[in-house]
Amino acid sequence: DFERMKSDALEVPQYLRQRLGKDRVVLLGHSWGTMIGLPLAAEHPDLYYAYVGTGQVISVAENERVGYERALGEARDQQNEAAIEALEALAPYPNPNEGTTGRRDILRHWQRELGLAVASGKNFRLQILIAALSSPDYTLRDVSYFLTVPEKHKLTKLPILAREIDAFDVRKWGAKYELPIFFVMGRNDWQTPSILAESYLREEVEAPYKEFIWVEGAGHSVPTSQSDAFLQILVDRVLPVVEVVTEAWPYDRF
């Protein structure tokens, strides 16, 4: 369940701190990873120099509603009759009784077709495959598992976990953080609508340092679709803050 996944994820910084000889590490979450990462940042700020969220989820119900409305509007603007018919058939979305179950994949398909989801284009699987094959952290066996995982084993297809995902709202952990918070969001991301992440960070979050960074031309998966720009952001915007944290804990120079 969700709590077990958080517990498992908490073992990673513990391992890295020992392996690298560091007091803290930077916590980076993408999409589903932000639903684990930001709560961990709230609960264990002493383990992390900073938190970086990309494809940041705020409230799944709100994310899905806004993403759906944007997709239907775009379908109508493009006069895409197939998309209009499929999306209108989902209404009301999310369903007040069943949430996103049985409907999310349909929305994701049309978000991708309309340029509002994972990648700026429609080749998101290729982008992820290239990233995995070029990474020293994944083996060919890992890549094979990713490509062949049965539909019924995907996170959103497991009934118990699907309900937990639908109920997720990061505000459960409040909005006060004891470490720097960065959101790096694609301008064209309507899978986890960037406007909701921006509003939460700018209007609700209290932190020693916070920064919202737009990535133009990117969709939901900034690290794969705009990998060079994403790396540059980490070097130019996040690293200087980490260096301050390293030199003056807790944040004396902010």
Side-chain angles (χ1 to χ4, degrees):
D1 60 10
F2 183 72
E3 289 301 321
R4 174 60 183 271
M5 289 184 176
K6 281 174 55 189
S7 176
D8 289 346
L10 193 58
E11 295 181 13
V12 178
Q14 305 285 19
Y15 167 77
L16 289 174
R17 292 165 72 210
Q18 181 178 15
R19 174 71 180 269
L20 302 175
K22 301 289 185 180
D23 291 332
R24 293 174 294 279
V25 295
V26 175
L27 175 58
L28 169 62
H30 170 243
S31 193
W32 163 250
T34 71
M35 298 170 64
I36 301 292
L38 198 50
L40 286 180
E43 294 174 355
H44 304 279
D46 56 308
L47 297 180
Y48 309 108
Y49 290 121
Y51 170 79
V52 181
T54 181
Q56 179 68 50
V57 178
I58 305 302
S59 159
V60 167
E62 195 174 0
N63 279 132
E64 294 298 317
R65 177 185 60 79
V66 171
Y68 169 74
E69 292 173 354
R70 179 67 180 85
L72 184 55
E74 183 66 24
R76 288 169 176 164
D77 289 344
Q78 295 184 19
Q79 299 182 352
N80 187 325
E81 295 300 328
I84 293 170
E85 180 179 357
L87 292 169
E88 286 183 341
L90 297 180
Y93 183 86
N95 184 281
N97 298 317
E98 300 176 10
T100 66
T101 302
R103 297 169 174 83
R104 187 193 300 256
D105 286 351
I106 298 172
L107 174 59
R108 291 293 180 268
H109 168 77
W110 289 110
Q111 285 175 323
R112 289 193 294 270
E113 291 297 309
L114 296 165
L116 304 173
V118 175
S120 305
K122 301 173 185 177
N123 59 340
F124 76 101
R125 285 189 177 275
L126 178 60
Q127 292 178 353
I128 294 174
L129 179 60
I130 292 172
L133 289 173
S134 61
S135 170
D137 299 319
Y138 295 95
T139 66
L140 289 176
R141 178 175 291 182
D142 294 327
V143 175
S144 174
Y145 288 152
F146 169 74
L147 295 174
T148 59
V149 60
E151 281 291 315
K152 65 180 181 179
H153 292 159
K154 292 183 178 179
L155 289 176
T156 56
K157 300 299 175 61
L158 302 174
I160 294 177
L161 192 54
R163 288 193 293 272
E164 289 194 51
I165 291 173
D166 278 349
F168 178 86
D169 191 324
V170 78
R171 295 179 181 89
K172 173 184 175 182
W173 289 267
K176 188 171 184 178
Y177 299 90
E178 298 177 19
L179 74 171
I181 303 291
F182 295 84
F183 286 175
V184 183
M185 303 292 292
R187 180 70 72 174
N188 299 328
D189 182 5
W190 291 91
Q191 182 169 325
T192 53
S194 297
I195 58 172
L196 299 180
E198 181 185 30
S199 175
Y200 173 72
L201 186 68
R202 296 193 192 282
E203 299 176 14
E204 300 181 47
V205 167
E206 296 179 35
Y209 181 90
K210 63 181 182 178
E211 186 173 358
F212 187 93
I213 303 167
W214 284 109
V215 181
E216 301 298 335
H220 179 60
S221 187
V222 178
T224 53
S225 67
Q226 303 281 359
S227 56
D228 290 345
F230 186 72
L231 178 59
Q232 203 63 51
I233 287 168
L234 295 179
V235 172
D236 293 345
R237 311 286 276 275
V238 178
L239 184 58
V241 174
V242 169
E243 290 173 343
V244 171
V245 175
T246 304
E247 294 175 8
W249 181 265
Y251 315 112
D252 294 340
R253 290 173 52 191
F254 281 116

